[in-house]
Amino acid sequence: MARIALVTGGTRGIGAAISVALQQAGRHVIATYAGNNAAAEAFTAETGIETVRFDAGDYTQCATAVAAIAANHGTIEVLVNNAGITRDTTISKMTREMWDEVIDTNLGSCFNLCKICFEGMKAKKFGRIVNIGSINGQAGQYGQVNYAAAKAGIHGFTKALAMEGARYSITANALAPGYVDTDMVRAVPPEVLEKIIAKIPRGRLGTAQDIARGVVFLTADEADFITGSTLSINGGQHMY
């Protein structure tokens, strides 16, 4: 029977590529989204992957959704925390609301879903957790103190969680993408994007599929000796 995999923010961009790659690897995938119904419907029509709408930063909504998934499909054994937003500006202009929104969605969602799914994984004596960090959580980025803090927090959170999960055959790893060719990155002014690409030794942006392949690797049944690690996929831009 296929393992149940939940991918937050799994209907667009990197998340969509992860969802499809896990499906192709034999997982029964459920992708979550926060509010774009049209994109979710189009994604399901194209891939056949079930989608569920809830706010990953809201603990109660997460608990309700996971309970429904478990009732309909069984225990979630593969969890990919990919949901993320940006609210970029310098700290002089950043409001507390902009800080809280990014921390709650990007880091709080990891706590919410890992906590809720952890007991089921313990009972199964199997779990694969991948939390999507970022190169900017490793190296920092101007105008992103909220985003960089959330992503850096994911890296530390993952290492600590790996220690707790090891005895139950639950692995927890982080994956830190570099700059990937998504709508978010393509919205960067061309002259700025050109400078970013110039700093990438491989000479190009990453693709969503580059990241998805890393997630498939870390969530494989056979990947049981890889835990507490951060896999950086960034074309050599930052080695950490």
Side-chain angles (χ1 to χ4, degrees):
M1 186 173 180
R3 296 195 187 278
I4 307 303
L6 183 69
V7 182
T8 67
T11 64
R12 295 191 296 164
I14 291 173
I18 292 170
S19 295
V20 170
L22 287 175
Q23 181 191 55
Q24 292 173 344
R27 308 308 198 189
H28 181 99
V29 180
I30 296 148
T32 86
Y33 68 104
N36 192 329
N37 289 322
E41 289 170 5
F43 176 75
T44 297
E46 180 181 351
T47 66
I49 294 173
E50 179 183 347
T51 61
V52 179
R53 179 178 177 176
F54 66 90
D55 178 0
D58 183 303
Y59 186 87
T60 300
Q61 290 188 37
C62 290
T64 300
V66 169
I69 291 167
N72 291 330
H73 301 290
T75 301
I76 293 168
E77 297 172 281
V78 177
L79 172 63
V80 182
N81 285 304
N82 170 72
I85 61 171
T86 56
R87 298 288 185 268
D88 295 350
T89 190
T90 59
I91 197 166
S92 299
K93 298 177 182 178
M94 187 174 292
T95 64
R96 180 65 197 217
E97 182 181 20
M98 294 166 75
W99 170 270
D100 287 343
E101 285 177 350
V102 170
I103 297 297
D104 287 347
T105 298
N106 297 18
L107 180 58
S109 62
C110 288
F111 169 81
N112 293 344
L113 287 155
C114 287
K115 178 175 174 59
I116 293 164
C117 294
F118 199 76
E119 293 303 315
M121 292 179 178
K122 281 172 62 176
K124 284 270 192 175
K125 296 282 193 224
F126 179 93
R128 296 286 181 268
I129 297 170
V130 176
N131 300 317
I132 305 299
S134 170
I135 188 174
N136 291 345
Q138 298 171 314
Q141 182 58 268
Y142 184 90
Q144 282 196 328
V145 295
N146 49 4
Y147 185 84
K151 293 300 187 178
I154 284 173
H155 298 151
F157 172 90
T158 301
K159 290 180 183 297
L161 183 63
M163 294 179 182
E164 296 185 26
R167 71 184 66 183
Y168 306 109
S169 298
I170 301 170
T171 66
N173 294 287
L175 192 154
Y179 286 87
V180 176
D181 190 4
T182 61
D183 291 342
M184 185 186 300
V185 171
R186 283 295 175 187
V188 173
E191 64 276 12
V192 176
L193 189 58
E194 184 177 334
K195 291 177 182 178
I196 290 172
I197 294 173
K199 294 179 180 179
I200 302 173
R202 285 290 292 122
R204 66 170 176 87
L205 295 173
T207 67
Q209 288 71 31
D210 289 330
I211 309 307
R213 283 190 287 270
V215 173
V216 171
F217 169 69
L218 292 172
T219 57
D221 284 14
E222 298 80 8
D224 61 339
F225 202 61
I226 306 169
T227 194
S229 295
T230 297
L231 176 59
S232 295
I233 303 179
N234 58 36
Q237 184 177 357
H238 180 71
M239 302 180 190
Y240 173 74

